[in-house]
Amino acid sequence: MGPRDDDEEPSMKYLLLIYMDEAQARAAAAAKPDENKMMPAYTAYTEALKQAGVLLGGERLQFSSNATTVRVANGKNQVLNGPYAETKEQLGGFYMIDVPDLDSALAWAARCPGASHGIMEVRPVWPMVP
Amino acid sequence: MTSDLPGPDGARAATEVVARASYGKLVAYLSARTRNVAAAEDALAEAFAAALTDWPRKGIPGKPEAWLLAVARRKEIDAGRRRHTGDAATAELRQIADELAAAAAAPADIPDERLALMFACAHPAIDPAIRAPLILQTILGFDAATIASAFLVAPTTMGQRLVRAKQKISTAGIPFRLPERTDMTERLEAVLDAVYAIYTEGWTDPAGTEARRRDLAEEGIWLGRLMAALLPNEPEALGLLALMLYAEARRGARRNERGEYVPLAEQDTAKWNPGLIAEAEAVLHRSGALGQPGRYQIEAAIQSAHVVRRRAGRSDWAAIERLYDLLWALTRSPVVAINRAVAIAETRGPSAGLLALDSLAADTRLKEYQPYWAARAELLNRSGASDDADRAYEIAIGLEQDPVVRDFLQRRRASARVT
């Protein structure tokens, strides 16, 4: 058996979803800038993702009270105030990364500040054939 | 080529031998890069079918594994052609063709990636309940129906769960490699737990009447030996192998001539298998030298302290109590606590043992746990509380599903009433 073709590392896209308790997040956001330890932590994390060359994108989201849901039923638009589901934990932000496998995605998710003050969900992206 | 051409039976026997030794190795190698376990299994199934028609006519090839791998690769290419059309697949096909050529040309051994496959099967992203079945299927080639009957699950349900788990390995991008050093202990524990689950499924048929279950015990030990061989410096891998070998050594002693259940403390030590015990002691000794105690090593050490009865006439109960203390600190498992109470009854008398059991009464899980009530009944009986013992025996009997153990508890209850 010849050596395996390992030079081309597999590449997979994962969405890291940050779910957090919004009451806590609001309290943190209301704190004075120099008391808010969360922002510098996220900045450092984002920088680390960039340095590793795995960051594809990411954003912080406004609170779910600013969310609006839309659906079309029987040809009529239904627009409702609020998020899709009224749960204590809400989606607060996301990162899209490109890494070789689930273990590296999980390792990055664990490093995210959101893993300590909330819950990270790691979802592989459905690859689209061009 | 072998000199004499085998008949169909010879070829079948030969493929079975190769299948047993190589199946998991080939699945692991075929799927390690693509992470597509199902495709590897399909291709390999076709390769084994081809071997059954080819080998009787042409003789068993000198390198049966390489032959099977080359054929399986070709089947994968065919399947790839059916799946993809156009240029998108060309690069992939060329890569596979190159590997096929390399496989045919190179005489070296196929790299063993079974360990990587086992870590993928027992990955934390895989449902714990399906890890052992997944290992049985991918490493040992068991079909879903056989696994289903061993784990008391409907065959279609088991089939669907296995398909879903394999899909998740591929879709979620679960890697085929050894975990990082920092994750090793935890991840290895999941693999060892799955192997032990396979063994205990086989062990829970004390009557030894179900060949399928007895086979599972053998397969568990086979996997344990594989783990110990591939990870010789992981003390818990050695600990698990030792534990299974000790248990296996006592298999024949669990029944008397009348087919009745015999508890460990009353087993005829002459019926214990000395070869397996010697092997277990040697493996446990090696794990101890690595200086990192863990759950499986402690459980094996407890078995070792029971085995002392062969020479000393009595188990080393003081050591057993200490070991259960360690195990309790590590696992906080109520099952461990029950065994610890039984050991305390041996070292400090039945009332001390009962006191230890009483401290567990708040755990509601134990209300439906036969060994808790059986242990309670024994200790109550020994301390002279025969009415309470009788009631505890009754509950234990009602909770037991194995008729042979039920008979044993009924005999115990009857003899407790007489005294």
Side-chain angles (χ1 to χ4, degrees):
Chain A
M1 205 60 36
R4 303 290 294 277
D5 239 282
D6 278 351
D7 39 3
E8 44 175 313
E9 268 227 288
S11 146
M12 282 189 68
K13 287 179 193 159
Y14 293 88
L15 189 63
L16 311 184
L17 298 137
I18 305 160
Y19 286 91
M20 53 176 79
D21 184 333
E22 284 206 335
Q24 275 180 23
R26 274 177 196 281
K32 289 182 195 141
D34 56 327
E35 285 171 7
N36 188 341
K37 293 195 184 83
M38 206 48 83
M39 279 315 292
Y42 272 102
T43 312
Y45 176 65
T46 310
E47 200 49 42
L49 286 169
K50 278 186 198 155
Q51 288 294 321
V54 299
L55 183 67
L56 295 177
E59 298 291 350
R60 181 182 181 183
L61 302 178
Q62 297 281 4
F63 293 119
S64 65
S65 53
N66 297 305
T68 315
T69 55
V70 180
R71 81 168 85 195
V72 181
N74 304 322
K76 274 177 71 177
N77 288 353
Q78 276 186 353
V79 179
L80 290 171
N81 171 41
Y84 169 59
E86 293 281 0
T87 50
K88 190 170 152 226
E89 263 88 19
Q90 287 288 343
L91 184 61
F94 64 90
Y95 285 98
M96 176 86 91
I97 60 170
D98 189 332
V99 291
D101 55 48
L102 181 63
D103 277 358
S104 34
L106 295 176
W108 279 113
R111 290 183 193 116
C112 179
S116 325
H117 66 80
I119 297 159
M120 303 294 299
E121 182 175 324
V122 178
R123 292 279 288 267
V125 167
W126 194 305
M128 289 295 166
V129 184
Chain B
M1 297 284 160
T2 48
S3 52
D4 52 332
L5 291 183
D9 289 347
R12 184 169 289 278
T15 37
E16 271 165 17
V17 169
V18 177
R20 162 96 189 188
S22 312
Y23 183 86
K25 214 169 146 189
L26 292 170
V27 168
Y29 183 74
L30 284 164
S31 53
R33 190 180 43 84
T34 61
R35 296 175 192 153
N36 193 336
V37 178
E41 286 175 335
D42 290 347
L44 205 53
E46 290 192 57
F48 274 109
L52 279 178
T53 58
D54 204 77
W55 294 4
R57 284 188 289 117
K58 300 185 190 157
I60 297 155
K63 294 190 176 65
E65 277 188 2
W67 190 96
L68 286 163
L69 185 62
V71 175
R73 279 283 193 221
R74 216 174 299 142
K75 301 290 182 193
E76 268 196 331
I77 295 173
D78 292 346
R81 276 208 191 100
R82 286 195 295 273
R83 263 198 312 275
H84 310 284
T85 45
D87 291 341
T90 316
E92 187 194 344
L93 291 183
R94 194 176 303 125
Q95 190 190 0
I96 295 172
D98 288 348
E99 284 188 36
L100 179 59
D109 282 341
I110 296 164
D112 195 341
E113 312 217 40
R114 280 178 294 189
L115 203 51
L117 176 57
M118 303 242 281
F119 275 104
C121 290
H123 194 276
I126 298 291
D127 174 7
I130 199 69
R131 290 174 191 166
L134 202 52
I135 287 174
L136 276 175
Q137 179 148 82
T138 57
I139 301 283
L140 298 169
F142 275 52
D143 62 43
T146 308
I147 300 169
S149 93
F151 284 81
L152 300 177
V153 175
T156 46
T157 313
M158 180 56 82
Q160 283 162 359
R161 282 184 199 164
L162 286 165
V163 167
R164 271 203 298 274
K166 282 180 232 169
Q167 257 164 12
K168 179 144 195 193
I169 289 179
S170 142
T171 309
I174 291 175
F176 280 57
R177 58 172 153 71
L178 300 200
E180 303 289 333
R181 205 59 238 171
T182 46
D183 293 337
M184 187 59 169
T185 308
E186 213 176 309
R187 295 278 178 94
L188 178 61
E189 197 184 333
V191 176
L192 297 177
D193 287 352
V195 171
Y196 192 44
I198 291 168
Y199 180 79
T200 50
E201 280 302 326
W203 173 254
T204 47
D205 166 38
T209 45
E210 283 179 62
R212 214 167 247 175
R213 287 229 164 148
R214 197 177 50 241
D215 288 350
L216 277 190
E218 281 168 23
E219 303 295 355
I221 289 180
W222 190 86
L223 287 168
R225 287 190 203 279
L226 181 69
M227 294 294 294
L230 295 176
L231 291 170
N233 293 318
E234 286 295 341
E236 280 294 90
L238 300 174
L240 172 61
L241 176 58
L243 172 62
M244 293 191 292
L245 291 170
Y246 279 121
E248 197 58 20
R250 295 192 281 101
R251 174 175 290 279
R254 293 192 298 171
R255 288 282 175 280
N256 62 19
E257 309 71 46
R258 294 184 298 278
E260 292 164 350
Y261 171 81
V262 185
L264 172 57
E266 288 163 28
Q267 285 170 6
D268 177 0
T269 56
K271 287 188 182 165
W272 291 351
N273 182 323
L276 287 174
I277 290 175
E279 191 188 349
E281 302 272 51
V283 174
L284 182 61
H285 186 75
R286 266 204 292 146
S287 76
L290 294 166
Q292 262 172 54
R295 179 202 151 190
Y296 286 117
Q297 292 170 79
I298 297 171
E299 287 200 43
I302 290 168
Q303 295 289 325
S304 176
H306 277 297
V307 161
V308 166
R309 186 156 71 84
R310 275 194 311 172
R311 292 186 304 271
R314 190 167 194 272
S315 299
D316 185 349
W317 286 106
I320 292 170
E321 187 192 331
R322 275 198 312 276
L323 289 163
Y324 274 121
D325 281 346
L326 282 176
L327 202 54
W328 166 249
L330 209 63
T331 63
R332 299 276 150 188
S333 148
V335 178
V336 168
I338 293 168
N339 286 313
R340 185 173 160 269
V342 171
I344 289 173
E346 293 294 333
T347 53
R348 290 181 251 157
S351 350
L354 271 175
L355 218 60
L357 272 186
D358 284 341
S359 67
L360 302 173
D363 193 325
T364 50
R365 285 173 295 180
L366 293 178
K367 288 211 161 61
E368 293 177 15
Y369 190 63
Q370 180 272 108
Y372 169 76
W373 291 105
R376 218 183 156 73
E378 291 289 331
L379 298 189
L380 283 166
N381 185 37
R382 267 193 253 166
S383 55
S386 46
D387 286 352
D388 291 341
D390 191 64
R391 269 192 298 279
Y393 274 124
E394 187 177 20
I395 298 171
I397 291 161
L399 290 172
E400 178 54 49
Q401 61 169 15
D402 184 335
V404 184
V405 176
R406 212 154 48 213
D407 287 350
F408 163 77
L409 290 169
Q410 274 163 338
R411 285 197 307 279
R412 275 281 213 255
R413 186 186 187 193
S415 71
R417 274 174 172 163
V418 172
T419 50

